[in-house]
Each structure stands twice: as C-alpha cells, then as structure tokens.
Amino acid sequence: MKKFLLLLILGGVHSVAFGQGYSLQMNQEKVEFGENKKMAYSTSFELPFEVIKKEWWKYIKRYALLYNKRTHYENKILAKKSQSSTDIYFYSIFSNKSDNPTLSIALDDNEVIKPNIILYNQYLKDLLLDFKIELYSSHIQSKVDKSEKTSLKVSSRIERLTQDNQKLESSKAKKNASLTAIKKRIDSNNALIEGYRIELFVYQKEIDRLKNDLGRIK
C-alpha cells in the first residue's frame, strides 16, 4: 500500500514535470518576415504559445518599439538603450506549427554598415538569450514557490495529527475513555501521517529537481 501511494504521487508530479527540458539552445536559419527573408536566431520553448507571446511582448517593450505587420513584427531599439551608435532595427516572428512554439529574430541589415552587422547580431542574440533565461527562471521559481507552499501545508497536517495522537494517548488514563475508539482513531491518524510523509518526500524531491534546473539556467 505504501509503495502504491508513492508511485501514485510520483506519477502525478511526473505528469506536470515531464518534458520540461528548459533548453537555452538557439539556431541560425533563414526565416521569412513578410516579404523579407533573413538569417535569424531562432529558439523553441517548452511552454504554451500564448505564454511565450505575452511574455515576449512584456519583455521587449522595455527595450524596443514594436510595429505589427500582421505576419511579423518590426522593432526598433533606440541607440541610447542598446548603447550602440545608431538605432537597431530588427524583425521578430512567432511560429506555432509544432508542439514547441518558436521565436525568431533577425537584424534588418539593409542600411547597417558592415562592421556593425556582427556587433548588432550579437546584441540580438544576447537579447533573445536573456529573455529565455528570464522567462524560464521566473517559470521555475513560481513552481518552486507553489511546491514549497504545498509542502508547508502538508507539514502542518502532519503536525496537527501528531498533536492529536499525543492528546489521545493522554486520554487513555481517563476511566471513561474508550480504549478501542482511541486506538482506532490513533491508527487512522497514523495512516494519514504516513501518506502525508510520502507526499512530503515527493514534493521535496520535486523542489530539489526544480532548484537544480534553476541553477543550471542561471
């Protein structure tokens, strides 16, 4: 029974955590931004498309002006924000054709002098990586906070049941107390405590795993 409970809880946690690789990998590939085909930095996410889209808008608006072109976005980062000599123009686009949504960004290099192309491309690559680190770190930390909150509740339940058992043991000395009823309630409490301890163990393992992921990303 104990093993069954452990497997059941582990299965529940695993179903939530499964597939969360949190990879920071980026690729370079040709991407179409409307009528423009550019060499872009692309990266995929193991999070829902709507989450990525919303968080990217929130992130990039801190640095750039966005212009919606229906098929893609055109962006401008002011020189003073990027510490470059001129404003940086670039394209961004989302792809949701697979299970893992992809974000691609590319420099609009039509009027960029050659020495700045490498510099600006590196800036855009760093920008995309910083966004992904910030997004995943925030996502993982929220899961850690949620698991720690749940663990605290489980610990409180164990403490309450343990205190109840102590009171029941003390009541055995009373002549009018039913020893059979007391034993039955203590056994029931002990069964609940055992289940909660297993649950607590599983949550702690999940917290450790998430913190390990967080450490690798940061």
Side-chain angles (χ1 to χ4, degrees), residues 130 145 162 169 171 173 191 197 207 217:
D130 182 66
D145 293 343
T162 302
E169 290 290 348
S171 68
R197 281 176 177 165
I207 289 167
I217 289 172

Side-chain angles (χ1 to χ4, degrees), residues 54-66 75-83 90 123 126-136 138:
K54 179 182 177 182
E55 293 304 319
W56 170 249
W57 284 348
K58 285 167 59 178
Y59 175 86
I60 201 60
K61 282 179 180 178
R62 289 164 16 200
Y63 305 98
L65 302 174
L66 277 72
N75 314 270
K76 180 174 75 172
I77 300 178
L78 300 178
K80 63 181 180 180
K81 287 196 174 184
S82 64
Q83 296 183 341
F90 70 98
Y123 177 81
D126 291 343
L127 192 73
L128 186 56
L129 180 62
D130 182 66
F131 164 68
K132 199 166 191 181
I133 290 173
E134 184 175 305
L135 174 71
Y136 277 161
S138 176

Side-chain angles (χ1 to χ4, degrees), residues 137-178:
S137 296
S138 176
H139 176 73
I140 295 171
Q141 187 60 55
S142 68
K143 293 181 74 173
V144 169
D145 293 343
K146 184 177 179 180
S147 292
E148 287 182 336
K149 187 176 180 180
T150 303
S151 294
L152 188 61
K153 288 180 180 178
V154 174
S155 295
S156 296
R157 289 170 189 161
I158 292 173
E159 187 177 351
R160 285 198 299 270
L161 288 168
T162 302
Q163 289 174 350
D164 188 44
N165 277 356
Q166 290 172 349
K167 291 178 182 177
L168 290 168
E169 290 290 348
S170 297
S171 68
K172 284 182 179 180
K174 297 179 181 179
K175 294 181 179 180
N176 60 345
S178 171

